[in-house]
Amino acid sequence: MFNGGSLYDIYETKDGRYMSFCALEPHFFSAFCRTIGRPDLAYEQGMAPQNPDEVKKIITAVFKTKTMKEWEEIFRDVDACVEPVYNIAEALDNEQSAGRGLVVEVDLPEGGRVRQPALPIIFSTYRPQYRHSGVPAGAHTKEVLQKLGYTSEQIEEFARTGLLN
C-alpha cells in the first residue's frame, strides 16, 4: 500500500477498547509517531515504511499501554488521523453528532419518543423529515398470514387461541 496504508487499522487499547489509525499521508504518520514518543518510526516524505509488519507490531504494542480515553485525550488536538472507536450509545451522545444534527427524536407508534441516527449527509436544499419510527409489533400480521395462504377463519382462530400473542 502507498504511504502508511499498510498501517491503517483499528488497534486495541489497554482496556479492551479500540482506536482507529488512518494516517495514509506521511505528515499524519509523522505527527502520530511524535505523539506516541516514537519519532524514529516516521519515514521519508512519500515513502512507505520499509518494514510495515514490524512497525504495525510496535504500534499495536504502544496502543495497549493506555486506555481508549487516555489515547483520546492525547490525540484530541493532534492532526494525526487517530480517533476512538465508539459504541452506538457513545456515537449518538458524541458532541460532534449533536453539533451536526446526526441524532433525531422520532415518535413511536405506541406513544413516546426514541432517539435514532439521522441521515448523515447534509444537503444544501433538502431537509429530511423524520415522521415516526416503525410500526407496532404485529401491525401487519394478518396481511402476512394471508399472503402465506391462511384464511381469515384460520387467522381468527390463531388470534382466539393466543397463537399471535
Side-chain angles (χ1 to χ4, degrees):
M1 302 259 303
F2 67 95
N3 295 333
S6 58
L7 306 172
Y8 191 115
D9 210 338
I10 59 170
Y11 293 88
E12 188 173 2
T13 59
K14 183 178 181 178
D15 56 350
R17 301 292 305 274
Y18 292 88
M19 295 292 290
S20 65
F21 173 62
C22 310
L24 291 177
E25 294 87 352
H27 65 280
F28 292 130
F29 186 62
S30 293
F32 170 79
C33 292
R34 285 190 306 274
T35 303
I36 66 169
R38 291 298 306 266
D40 58 300
L41 297 177
Y43 44 88
E44 294 180 34
Q45 189 74 9
M47 300 295 294
Q50 296 298 314
N51 52 353
D53 292 337
E54 188 59 34
V55 172
K56 192 165 191 169
K57 286 179 188 175
I58 293 169
I59 291 171
T60 298
V62 168
F63 269 116
K64 285 190 175 190
T65 65
K66 297 185 186 325
T67 67
M68 183 186 82
K69 289 293 183 197
E70 290 171 321
W71 284 119
E72 186 177 12
E73 188 58 35
I74 288 167
F75 280 100
R76 181 172 310 285
D77 297 319
V78 178
D79 194 8
C81 301
V82 176
E83 294 293 334
V85 177
Y86 292 135
N87 62 36
I88 292 184
E90 291 167 329
L92 291 177
D93 289 335
N94 182 283
E95 63 186 53
Q96 278 187 322
S97 296
R100 289 184 45 84
L102 297 178
V103 179
V104 295
E105 282 195 18
V106 295
D107 293 326
L108 290 169
E110 57 273 352
R113 297 177 63 78
V114 66
R115 293 175 58 217
Q116 70 178 35
L119 181 68
I121 302 167
I122 299 173
F123 297 98
S124 58
T125 58
Y126 172 75
R127 298 291 179 254
Q129 295 179 12
Y130 305 95
R131 294 182 185 96
H132 58 81
S133 178
V135 296
H140 300 106
T141 301
K142 184 174 181 178
E143 292 86 355
V144 171
L145 289 173
Q146 286 174 333
K147 285 184 179 182
L148 291 172
Y150 291 98
T151 66
S152 293
E153 293 78 24
Q154 289 173 309
I155 296 169
E156 287 173 22
E157 176 67 18
F158 295 158
R160 201 172 29 260
T161 61
L163 182 64
L164 301 181
N165 293 341

